[in-house]
Amino acid sequence: MTILKRHLAALAFGAILAAAGQANAAEPVKLGLINPIKTLVGKQNLEGAQLAAEMINQDGGILGGRKIELVTYDTNFSPPEGVAALQRLLTQDRVKVVAGEISSSVALAAVPVIEGEDAIFMAAVPKHPDVTKSGYDKIFRMNTTTAQDAQSFDAFLLETVKPAKVAILAENSDFGQVTINQMKKLFGDKLVYSDTFGMQQNDFAAMSTNARSSGADTICIVGSNMEQYGNILRSLSDLGFNGNRCLMPGVLNSQGVQIAGAAAEKAFSADIYVPSIDNAFNKRFVAAFEKKFGRKPEKIEVLGFESIWIAAKAMDKAGTADDTTKIAKVIHEGKWETPRGEVTFDKNGQASSGELIRLVVKSGEIVVNR
């Protein structure tokens, strides 16, 4: 081979390598997303995640210009369906990071599947404490746990609300059972009635009647599905219950208030986010969300946003979309700017961002309860 031919061959080979590099750089990074997307709460979490991907892509993507692509499956609040969705994401779609979900029961079922595939799970909403206590260091939770909520909300119930008798109506899930047990410890014999409802249940007349008949002056509702707790509030109102209505921290949402209508008036709760938080990131997020979806975002949307935003930014900082050990290490060690403020993670992967904000429904709006 002549010198000229060798030179031309080297140039051709270099061009092939460059083209391959450009193709790899242009290949999107797939992130998995699971949610009960046929429900309002699942749709809200999905919208937050979609906006995170859109904003990252508008900012130029990650890892030298690669775009984020969401691969989404519906879990239908069902652990078997959630596990099946995860298996498709991890084995067929070949994703390395899965985000989202509302249900603690689905999240708990997801943990061994995630661990078996050496993947990362950015659990958005599930509140059961065991979600981040498996010992596997690649599980992260955006939301607070019931124990974190209790640190300030229990004191508010005991010292400000001061109920004489309490009833609790809770979804039949791990989140619901944990909350019932916590309320039993908090109120003792003042807890005069408790009952659970199924995740697909839509008739709450009997349990609402029993709760009202118990003599409770305060009825607390534990439900991640806003269609359900909105209808429970309506049932209580139809029965003439005029006592305190408490939504346990983390579940009060404007669409749930719309479903309840006037029955939601003066219902109170607490949460980690309100759209009026005054920081530059939140202002950008709220403006982008309102432009895209025509309404203000709330906590569920923020948690969906964060689960994708932090995962993508960690990939970029770690310099890899595939090495889950490096990505998880970056997440654990980082301080992440989000719409609610700075978020950090403890050794178990539990997020923290400050105190709960007390909320109350006034004139059909959720406002800060000062």
Side-chain angles (χ1 to χ4, degrees), residues 239-300:
L239 291 166
F241 179 74
N242 295 314
N244 299 313
R245 276 85 28 73
C246 161
L247 278 298
M248 296 306 289
V251 302
L252 183 59
N253 183 282
S254 64
Q255 293 196 40
V257 171
Q258 289 176 15
I259 291 167
E265 192 68 12
K266 295 184 181 180
F268 62 90
S269 188
D271 221 325
I272 56 176
Y273 175 80
V274 289
S276 59
I277 288 176
D278 188 15
N279 67 58
F281 196 159
N282 188 51
K283 289 176 181 177
R284 181 192 175 197
F285 167 70
V286 171
F289 193 93
E290 284 187 295
K291 182 178 180 181
K292 186 173 179 66
F293 298 108
R295 68 176 196 281
K296 289 186 182 297
E298 297 177 75
K299 193 274 294 289
I300 299 298

Side-chain angles (χ1 to χ4, degrees), residues 63-305:
L63 300 170
R66 296 175 68 182
K67 304 296 186 183
I68 298 297
E69 178 184 324
L70 299 183
V71 184
T72 303
Y73 289 106
D74 187 9
T75 63
N76 197 32
F77 277 117
S78 165
E81 291 187 49
V83 167
L86 275 174
Q87 289 170 337
R88 288 195 298 272
L89 284 167
L90 297 171
T91 61
Q92 296 178 27
D93 300 306
R94 303 290 182 184
V95 304
K96 295 293 185 180
V97 177
V98 179
E101 193 44 44
I102 306 298
S103 165
S104 289
S105 298
V106 173
L108 289 168
V111 170
V113 181
I114 291 285
E115 184 172 0
E117 295 293 334
D118 192 35
I120 292 173
F121 185 29
M122 307 292 289
V125 180
K127 296 179 75 68
H128 194 289
D130 288 353
V131 171
T132 52
K133 289 187 178 179
S134 69
Y136 180 60
D137 65 354
K138 297 172 186 176
I139 305 289
F140 301 89
R141 188 211 323 264
M142 305 297 107
N143 204 1
T144 53
T145 64
T146 49
Q148 286 176 307
D149 294 340
Q151 291 175 6
S152 63
F153 197 68
D154 285 2
F156 175 69
L157 286 174
L158 288 171
E159 298 167 13
T160 303
V161 180
K162 298 179 180 178
K165 295 181 179 180
V166 179
I168 184 166
L169 305 178
E171 65 180 41
N172 189 12
S173 68
D174 294 285
F175 167 40
Q177 292 296 337
V178 165
T179 307
I180 288 175
N181 292 336
Q182 178 246 325
M183 294 289 277
K184 286 178 179 178
K185 292 178 183 178
L186 182 65
F187 288 109
D189 57 10
K190 287 184 179 181
L191 184 64
V192 294
Y193 180 77
S194 66
D195 200 357
T196 60
F197 52 89
M199 298 301 294
Q200 308 298 329
Q201 186 171 328
N202 54 29
D203 184 354
F204 308 100
M207 68 166 53
S208 297
T209 299
N210 291 338
R212 186 186 185 284
S213 301
S214 70
D217 58 273
T218 299
I219 297 178
C220 291
I221 304 170
V222 187
S224 51
N225 190 334
M226 63 193 70
E227 291 99 322
Q228 291 186 309
Y229 73 70
N231 283 314
I232 292 172
L233 288 171
R234 291 178 70 95
S235 293
L236 292 171
S237 178
D238 291 343
L239 291 166
F241 179 74
N242 295 314
N244 299 313
R245 276 85 28 73
C246 161
L247 278 298
M248 296 306 289
V251 302
L252 183 59
N253 183 282
S254 64
Q255 293 196 40
V257 171
Q258 289 176 15
I259 291 167
E265 192 68 12
K266 295 184 181 180
F268 62 90
S269 188
D271 221 325
I272 56 176
Y273 175 80
V274 289
S276 59
I277 288 176
D278 188 15
N279 67 58
F281 196 159
N282 188 51
K283 289 176 181 177
R284 181 192 175 197
F285 167 70
V286 171
F289 193 93
E290 284 187 295
K291 182 178 180 181
K292 186 173 179 66
F293 298 108
R295 68 176 196 281
K296 289 186 182 297
E298 297 177 75
K299 193 274 294 289
I300 299 298
E301 292 92 329
V302 166
L303 295 178
F305 180 93

Side-chain angles (χ1 to χ4, degrees), residues 23-38:
N24 184 61
E27 182 182 348
V29 176
K30 292 183 178 181
L31 297 181
L33 187 67
I34 57 173
N35 266 309
I37 54 179
K38 295 185 183 73

